[in-house]
Amino acid sequence: MRGLHTLSAMLLARSVGTLATENPVSPRAAAAATFNNPVIWEDHPDLDVFRVGDVFYYSSSTFAYSPGAPVLRSYDLVNWEAVSHSVPELNFGAKYNLNGSGSGYVKGIWASSLRYRPSTDTFHWMGCVESGKTYIWTAPGNGAAQKRGEVSEWTWTNHPPINTCYYDCGILVDDDKDETMYVAYGNPNIRVAQLSKDGLTQVKTQQVYTSSETIEGSRMYKINGTYYILVTRPAYAEYVLKSTSGPFGPYTMKTLVSRINGPLANAGFSHQGGIVNTPDNKWYYVAFMDSYPSGRIPVVAPLTWTADGWPQLVADGSGGWGKSYPIPVQTNKTVASPIGVSTDEFKGTQLSHEWEWNHNPDKTKFRLVEGSGLVLQTADVTTDLFAARNTLTHRIIGPKSTGTFRIDVSKMGDGDRAGMVLFRDRSAYIGVHKDGSTSTVVTVNALTMSEGSWTTTAKGTVAAKGPTVSGGDIWLRIQADITPAFGMTQERTATFSYSTDGKTFTALGPAFAMTNSWTYFTGYRYGVFNFATKALGGEVAVRSFSMQLV
Ligand SMILES: *[C@@H]1O[C@H](CO)[C@@H](O)[C@H](O)[C@H]1NC(C)=O
Ligand SMILES: *[C@@H]1O[C@H](CO)[C@@H](O)[C@H](O)[C@H]1NC(C)=O
Ligand SMILES: *[C@@H]1O[C@H](CO)[C@@H](O)[C@H](O)[C@H]1NC(C)=O
């Protein structure tokens, strides 16, 4: 249960302004003496956390969604906002454009890593994407180290990939004179690569730990002169490798957590992720839970250290991962636009970093228009939503929420399909089908991709027909219950409704059961789409999106 105090804190934080401020009258710091897990009830998997000054940064994986590898920031490890994407365009091959060279569903960005290097004032992102290659993007920090971690503007540049797959990589920027960069990676054996002075090429790589069981998800740290690599035993444990002899080991191993209960039921075991300290050197472990159908959502717990340098989790009274702990940092600095409950009217010149397209979009087919919102022209002629470009997606906040798009459908063309989709490998939507000159509100379910090959096996069945609409605005709403049900046979459901005045909503069609399977990795998302089945030329204007907990 996301605490009410957390929610009100987010809403208060929202009113503070667009930049983080030292606000002397903010009541948030005083109000929130504890926090509740999960800290973000949204799918932000394979996380890497680190801190620059007063700012915690959080990088996560996004598969074929574009832009990829979102960057979140926080001042307290609890309230987060999306500020950038490390990979503005998936430059991993033609299939990520979804225009004739296949699709990248369930490929793309897996566990990757983001760190800041003070001496060069540069953020480095790395990820092994296609087998054999590790992609690199960097962004200048614009003086982040001098500004207590603040970054005024993010500009990402890609570099030639390294021709070695740093599988599930974790970057370490050493605190030695040169700030040497290392990357820990591999499965099941763990290797450490040393990078060149600019951090862009490999100098050497060496196996540092031999494992008889599957371990992966490396995160590398140097703490008080000792090197650590945290690895996960998927999907139930986190191990710590420790070396007092340098980055290349030898490393000895101890278990940090294994099959630890809580903080959520039916969400697997807290594991993977990474550790980070506060400005006053209190340490925390940020893991994730397999919270399907929601995806993988982060949970935080404090750490203590043994005299000989092993981290230990602070469990709750029954030995589990606590639902609640004291807030890591009491601060008056707040994040401006918190993750989750929000309304977006698509103002300005760019989409906010809460949005990701299903693949690289066709940039010639969408634009933000003052007074209209997000205009989506049909980008493909297809009868397959999974093959259509420019479906724009948004993570679903849990445990239960509604998402509502307000869409002007007056410029749809004959044969066009537009609407709001509950997007995953088993999808359903509520939308408008225009055939001839008649636009009909429909719900469509059973849009399905085959598990494993991720190709379309069913393009959907009209489950219910609503009224015809004569153009103008329609509000489309999906209410999704993403309460964890991982490993259960019971499936959570979503329901569909529409409105022509934004006030009175009418249910349409049967509830849709969401799959709890993990194999697609990414959880369900709300999305908006517009594709043509006959000819290009039609468009819709997406005026707003709002998401509310229910
Ligand atoms: C590292 O060294 C500092 C200073 O001696 C000490 O306060 C701290 O507890 C040590 N351990 C960690 C994990 O920071
Ligand atoms: C927040 O601001 C109030 C009012 O100025 C101050 O009393 C308090 O110490 C501040 N808290 C922190 C953690 O900085
Ligand atoms: C596919 O899309 C990309 C990016 O929009 C574009 O550069 C490329 O030319 C397109 N390829 C085809 C075959 O249309």
Side-chain angles (χ1 to χ4, degrees):
M1 256 101 343
R2 193 181 177 99
L4 273 180
H5 71 266
T6 306
L7 175 57
S8 57
M10 294 198 310
L11 296 173
L12 288 168
R14 232 185 132 62
S15 64
V16 168
T18 52
L19 286 172
T21 48
E22 298 268 9
N23 185 344
V25 293
S26 167
R28 192 182 64 75
T34 60
F35 71 92
N36 292 331
N37 278 313
V39 289
I40 311 169
W41 203 315
E42 278 187 2
D43 186 24
H44 282 287
D46 299 329
L47 60 103
D48 194 7
V49 286
F50 61 100
R51 181 177 56 82
V52 185
D54 292 335
V55 187
F56 297 98
Y57 287 102
Y58 181 133
S59 171
S60 71
S61 65
T62 37
F63 298 83
Y65 293 92
S66 176
V71 182
L72 314 181
R73 74 165 179 180
S74 173
Y75 296 102
D76 58 9
L77 269 180
V78 175
N79 296 286
W80 295 87
E81 67 174 332
V83 291
S84 189
H85 281 88
S86 298
V87 182
E89 191 167 329
L90 309 188
N91 58 331
F92 319 137
K95 62 173 171 279
Y96 295 95
N97 296 323
L98 198 62
N99 61 357
S101 304
S103 80
Y105 289 115
V106 200
K107 297 185 174 65
I109 297 171
W110 293 46
S112 51
S113 186
L114 176 68
R115 292 301 168 90
Y116 176 67
R117 192 183 199 194
S119 59
T120 52
D121 187 26
T122 304
F123 287 83
H124 288 250
W125 179 91
M126 298 179 91
C128 171
V129 171
E130 298 293 290
S131 59
K133 279 186 186 171
T134 301
Y135 286 78
I136 304 175
W137 289 77
T138 62
N142 295 306
Q146 284 71 46
K147 297 187 213 153
R148 302 290 310 156
E150 300 295 344
V151 176
S152 48
E153 196 188 318
W154 297 90
T155 312
W156 294 93
T157 305
N158 77 296
H159 301 273
I162 292 176
N163 282 324
T164 300
C165 173
Y166 295 158
Y167 176 91
D168 276 16
C169 62
I171 300 170
L172 168 70
V173 178
D174 204 325
D175 59 6
D176 63 353
K177 159 173 77 62
D178 294 332
E179 290 193 347
T180 308
M181 288 178 66
Y182 299 98
V183 183
Y185 64 95
N187 164 351
N189 298 326
I190 303 301
R191 303 181 68 88
V192 168
Q194 182 180 331
L195 303 182
S196 53
K197 285 199 168 181
D198 60 7
L200 302 178
T201 59
Q202 177 178 294
V203 170
K204 64 178 269 197
T205 174
Q206 186 177 315
Q207 186 170 314
V208 300
Y209 191 78
T210 307
S211 175
S212 56
E213 59 181 328
T214 299
I215 53 173
E216 58 184 21
S218 291
R219 296 286 173 244
M220 192 171 181
Y221 307 92
K222 187 185 187 188
I223 301 167
N224 285 354
T226 299
Y227 291 85
Y228 295 88
I229 301 172
L230 269 72
V231 293
T232 190
R233 168 73 181 91
Y236 61 80
E238 188 74 4
Y239 301 156
V240 179
L241 310 180
K242 175 171 167 293
S243 162
T244 51
S245 320
F248 296 102
Y251 285 88
T252 51
M253 191 268 271
K254 282 196 177 175
T255 299
L256 177 60
V257 289
S258 183
R259 301 186 193 279
I260 186 168
N261 283 325
L264 293 175
N266 307 312
F269 299 102
S270 301
H271 69 289
Q272 207 164 330
I275 63 175
V276 66
N277 69 345
T278 61
D280 60 354
N281 202 34
K282 289 181 292 178
W283 285 86
Y284 289 84
Y285 175 30
V286 187
F288 62 74
M289 301 201 78
D290 293 314
S291 183
Y292 293 100
S294 166
R296 292 172 286 167
I297 63 178
V299 292
V300 174
L303 296 172
T304 56
W305 294 81
T306 63
D308 56 346
W310 294 96
Q312 293 187 312
L313 192 100
V314 178
D316 66 10
S318 49
W321 191 297
K323 279 194 159 67
S324 177
Y325 289 105
I327 199 155
V329 181
Q330 290 282 354
T331 173
N332 289 332
K333 291 188 180 181
T334 54
V335 291
S337 56
I339 300 252
V341 179
S342 58
T343 296
D344 193 334
E345 292 178 332
F346 302 103
K347 290 182 172 152
T349 56
Q350 288 191 315
L351 291 167
S352 87
H353 287 284
E354 304 248 327
W355 297 101
E356 288 157 8
W357 304 93
N358 58 330
H359 278 64
N360 285 332
D362 181 342
K363 290 177 183 165
T364 66
K365 298 291 196 227
F366 76 89
R367 57 192 194 278
L368 287 157
V369 178
E370 182 74 37
S372 296
L374 171 68
V375 174
L376 292 177
Q377 292 175 271
T378 50
D380 283 296
V381 180
T382 179
T383 53
D384 178 6
L385 182 141
F386 294 123
R389 271 177 297 175
N390 292 14
T391 294
L392 185 65
T393 71
H394 194 290
R395 290 170 185 77
I396 298 177
I397 192 169
K400 291 178 191 173
S401 67
T402 59
T404 309
F405 283 101
R406 177 183 177 183
I407 306 174
D408 177 350
V409 294
S410 59
K411 292 183 183 165
M412 288 177 71
D414 176 22
D416 288 1
R417 274 83 181 98
M420 176 176 190
V421 60
L422 185 70
F423 194 78
R424 209 184 178 223
D425 56 323
R426 267 172 45 196
S427 294
Y429 70 76
I430 181 163
V432 173
H433 285 185
K434 184 159 185 179
D435 292 299
S437 57
T438 307
S439 296
T440 310
V441 184
V442 296
T443 58
V444 172
N445 58 26
L447 297 99
T448 309
M449 282 188 237
S450 70
E451 199 166 343
S453 70
W454 312 116
T455 51
T456 305
T457 51
K459 295 177 184 175
T461 311
V462 175
K465 281 192 180 183
T468 56
V469 285
S470 56
D473 289 358
I474 185 160
W475 285 254
L476 301 174
R477 175 172 288 174
I478 297 175
Q479 178 166 328
D481 176 3
I482 55 167
T483 307
F486 188 46
M488 296 171 74
T489 49
Q490 185 194 344
E491 291 177 312
R492 306 296 178 195
T493 56
T495 54
F496 305 84
S497 58
Y498 66 92
S499 171
T500 50
D501 62 6
K503 296 185 184 96
T504 310
F505 282 80
T506 305
L508 185 68
F512 176 75
M514 289 176 273
T515 170
N516 301 328
S517 167
W518 61 269
T519 52
Y520 185 81
F521 289 102
T522 306
Y524 275 94
R525 293 185 173 195
Y526 296 133
V528 62
F529 65 91
N530 182 30
F531 63 90
T533 63
K534 290 184 180 164
L536 300 182
E539 67 179 41
V540 298
V542 187
R543 295 190 183 282
S544 68
F545 171 74
S546 62
M547 188 163 69
Q548 297 295 329
L549 286 167
V550 292

